[in-house]
Amino acid sequence: MKFIDEVRITVGSGNGGHGSVSFRREKFIPFGGPDGGDGGRGGNVTLVAQGSLNTLIDFRYQRRFRAENGHGGAGRQMTGRGGRDLSITVPIGTLVYDDDTHELLGDLRHDGDTLLVAKGGRGGHGNMWYKSSTNRAPRQHELGGSGEERQLRLELRLLADVGLLGMPNAGKSTLIRAVSAARPKVADYPFTTLYPNLGVVRIAEHESFVLADIPGLIPGAAEGAGLGTRFLKHLSRTRLLLHLVDLSPPDGGDPAEQVRALEDELAAYSPTLAAQPRWLVANKADLFTPEAAQSRFQALRRDLDWQDPAFLISAASGAGCQELMRKVWLALAELPPPPPPEAIGLWDEDDEPALSIGEEEEEEEW
């Protein structure tokens, strides 16, 4: 299944039904008067968050939605039936923007959350509303109101407590495999991870948190290098970032310089995201003797002048991973909630959401 996290859709609510022009015609009642009923209201369009969904892939096949129109009124003061409302299910964590004004309309972050995105047109009055002492036989009626049509941009941001941040091949996918039941692809080449993965880390019964693994970043990511900023938004809902760094980078680079490079990318992308709590996690200690690994780890902390928590682990062997996860669990109880979506400021007018990586979809007819 392709991971699709940004789409544009068009929604339209139903038009209201027209009012009726009718007169009462019964035996022995020669002047029954007007009895035209009102038209029914048009159907609304509502987005509903559903926990069983984890991607916007369903919008790959249908991107235009319209609710039912209201029915017209009839004689004997009968009101027309209202149009059926249309409910569109989206994954939990979906942000809804008006694509024309760039206004954030809602944030569906809980199962069952609803958001009215297009209100149906009101039904028109029938001619019975226009009768008066001077207008005994009115032939006026009101047309139904027009429904709304909107261009929406849906942006999915995964809900996770902790996010993994690091260069390609830093061992993020290996770590999430070691501490959870998630099984992302692991290989010895860069950009093995092409879309975010979520894993549930269970510390004890009724004690767990969600860990997010996003594709690796490289210098220049804030300007679109590598996978660019496509998946950085999935870290915006996390409360803690684990910055994984390879003690022995394959290219022979300096681990401290790699940490500083990603710090600069975070700051360029979103100062709010860069200010979130972040722990340093030195990975691949199994490639060295315990003494050599500890020496490199301490040298890294000195070079960075790192004052926040730091850990030495081996995701491949599992050494230090469980202790790290337990410290994370204890810290989450005291950390503040993530910043609101507006604080991250991820709207980009030049960013055209793709339905899937490297794949373009043809526009459908209405």
Side-chain angles (χ1 to χ4, degrees):
M1 178 183 295
K2 291 183 173 65
F3 183 83
I4 298 174
D5 59 357
E6 290 184 5
V7 293
R8 282 188 169 99
I9 64 173
T10 302
V11 297
S13 58
N15 299 324
H18 301 327
S20 171
V21 177
S22 174
F23 296 91
R24 185 179 180 187
R25 292 289 184 266
E26 294 184 34
K27 191 176 183 180
F28 307 120
I29 305 179
F31 302 103
D35 67 350
D38 299 340
R41 69 165 182 84
N44 300 322
V45 180
T46 306
L47 301 184
V48 183
Q50 184 172 325
S52 61
L53 301 177
N54 54 18
T55 175
L56 297 172
I57 192 172
D58 291 339
F59 298 100
R60 174 186 179 188
Y61 309 105
Q62 182 180 0
R63 280 175 277 163
R64 289 175 168 82
F65 302 85
R66 182 177 290 279
E68 185 182 22
N69 293 331
H71 291 236
R76 299 186 180 181
Q77 303 183 16
M78 290 189 292
T79 300
R81 180 173 66 82
R84 293 187 180 89
D85 295 336
L86 177 63
S87 295
I88 305 173
T89 56
V90 296
I92 295 176
T94 299
L95 295 176
V96 185
Y97 291 95
D98 187 306
D99 200 30
D100 296 322
T101 65
H102 300 178
E103 177 190 1
L104 177 62
L105 302 178
D107 182 6
L108 305 176
R109 62 171 62 194
H110 302 104
D111 193 12
D113 282 356
T114 61
L115 177 65
L116 178 65
V117 291
K119 187 176 182 180
R122 63 180 295 273
H125 287 320
N127 67 333
M128 67 177 182
W129 285 86
Y130 297 94
K131 64 182 178 182
S132 67
S133 59
T134 58
N135 190 7
R136 301 294 184 88
R139 296 186 179 275
Q140 301 98 319
H141 71 288
E142 185 182 15
L143 299 180
S146 299
E148 297 179 335
E149 182 171 315
R150 260 181 167 171
Q151 306 289 329
L152 301 179
R153 167 170 166 159
L154 307 183
E155 183 178 297
L156 174 61
R157 296 187 193 173
L158 297 179
L159 297 177
D161 301 297
V162 182
L164 299 180
L165 176 71
M167 291 280 191
N169 273 54
K172 301 183 297 298
S173 297
T174 305
L175 176 60
I176 201 173
R177 288 173 65 101
V179 299
S180 73
R183 290 295 176 266
K185 183 179 180 181
V186 174
D188 58 351
Y189 53 84
F191 297 112
T192 307
T193 301
L194 295 177
Y195 54 86
N197 295 288
L198 293 180
V200 178
V201 180
R202 300 192 181 278
I203 304 301
E205 188 175 2
H206 307 302
E207 294 182 356
S208 63
F209 62 88
V210 179
L211 186 65
D213 167 29
I214 69 166
L217 303 178
I218 61 176
E223 286 75 39
L227 293 181
T229 60
R230 180 173 178 82
F231 296 117
L232 261 177
K233 61 172 174 268
H234 294 294
L235 296 180
S236 64
R237 296 190 190 272
T238 61
R239 293 186 288 155
L240 175 65
L241 297 178
L242 299 182
H243 193 150
L244 262 71
V245 58
D246 189 345
L247 282 179
S248 179
D251 59 358
D254 182 5
E257 288 301 321
Q258 293 187 354
V259 173
R260 295 190 186 97
L262 289 196
E263 286 177 342
D264 293 340
E265 295 305 321
L266 280 181
Y269 179 72
S270 169
T272 303
L273 185 60
Q276 286 185 250
R278 184 161 48 95
W279 292 2
L280 181 67
V281 180
N283 190 24
K284 302 187 181 180
D286 56 301
L287 299 180
F288 309 92
T289 63
E291 295 77 13
Q294 190 62 230
S295 176
R296 284 176 172 261
F297 175 56
Q298 296 302 330
L300 176 62
R301 296 186 64 179
R302 286 194 302 271
D303 291 345
L304 295 172
D305 192 22
W306 192 268
Q307 303 300 322
D308 294 321
F311 300 86
L312 177 63
I313 69 166
S314 170
S317 66
C321 294
Q322 293 305 321
E323 179 186 357
L324 170 62
M325 294 300 109
R326 180 163 291 278
K327 292 289 182 61
V328 168
W329 167 252
L330 294 175
L332 287 175
E334 301 178 358
L335 289 175
E342 300 89 341
I344 302 298
L346 295 180
W347 181 276
D348 185 355
E349 295 185 19
D350 299 326
D351 181 23
E352 183 71 23
L355 287 177
S356 56
I357 299 175
E359 179 177 350
E360 296 182 357
E361 297 291 336
E362 297 181 358
E363 288 292 329
E364 302 174 5
E365 296 296 332
W366 181 268

